[in-house]
Amino acid sequence: MREYSNIITLTKNGRGLYSIDPVFGCNTGILKNPKGCFSDCYSARISKKYGYDFSKNVKRDFKNDKHLKQIQNKIKKLDFKFIRMGSNGDPSEDWEHTINIIEKINTKKEIVIITRHWKKLSENQL
């Protein structure tokens, strides 16, 4: 099976919504059900279709400061009040990394986190 890239990207889906995912894959979700949440996880299904192992979490990050600035500038220019995080993996798989990415992004856009909350946030993280 193919592995996801560890380089973070800002993506736009077919409905025009933007996402940035600090983690691709969802090991905990797949362990609970091989087909993912509700026995029909869209991300798990698409990953399988294209030969990716959705059961393996891959942390994604910026290549360097230039890459970070490029994504920050794209986010600032979006005609949306928010971006999503957790479209192709569950941010709760690594909360420390997720929080770190949010802090790096540091724009005025709201970040909507999509999660099954497999792993709980600590009070300190909240």
Side-chain angles (χ1 to χ4, degrees):
M1 298 214 91
R2 297 166 60 190
E3 284 194 22
Y4 295 111
S5 167
N6 65 351
I7 298 171
I8 203 162
T9 54
L10 177 68
T11 59
K12 181 180 179 181
N13 72 12
R15 296 182 319 199
L17 298 173
Y18 290 87
S19 294
I20 191 164
D21 290 317
V23 177
F24 262 29
C26 184
N27 178 264
T28 305
I30 294 299
L31 285 175
K32 291 185 180 291
N33 185 325
K35 291 185 178 181
C37 296
F38 309 112
S39 296
D40 190 27
C41 172
Y42 174 80
S43 293
R45 200 170 0 106
I46 295 301
S47 294
K48 184 177 181 180
K49 177 181 176 180
Y50 290 104
Y52 289 96
D53 185 357
F54 198 66
S55 70
K56 184 176 180 189
N57 297 333
V58 175
K59 289 196 296 189
R60 296 165 57 91
D61 209 336
F62 303 97
K63 290 187 283 191
N64 52 38
D65 286 339
K66 180 180 178 183
H67 181 225
L68 170 61
K69 294 285 184 210
Q70 288 172 335
I71 291 195
Q72 285 172 325
N73 289 335
K74 285 180 185 178
I75 290 171
K76 288 175 188 175
K77 292 177 184 176
L78 295 179
D79 192 24
F80 271 82
K81 293 181 181 178
F82 68 93
I83 59 171
R84 299 183 327 165
M85 186 173 276
S87 298
N88 294 301
D90 196 306
S92 75
E93 292 287 354
D94 192 327
W95 281 120
E96 283 299 319
H97 180 65
T98 296
I99 292 165
N100 184 43
I101 293 297
I102 291 169
E103 289 173 347
K104 283 182 181 181
I105 292 171
N106 192 26
T107 67
K108 301 269 188 234
K109 300 284 183 191
E110 291 183 34
I111 296 176
V112 176
I113 297 176
I114 303 163
T115 181
R116 297 297 298 163
H117 210 140
W118 298 119
K119 297 176 182 168
K120 294 186 179 195
L121 281 160
S122 69
E123 284 199 33
N124 187 46
Q125 291 168 326
L126 283 170

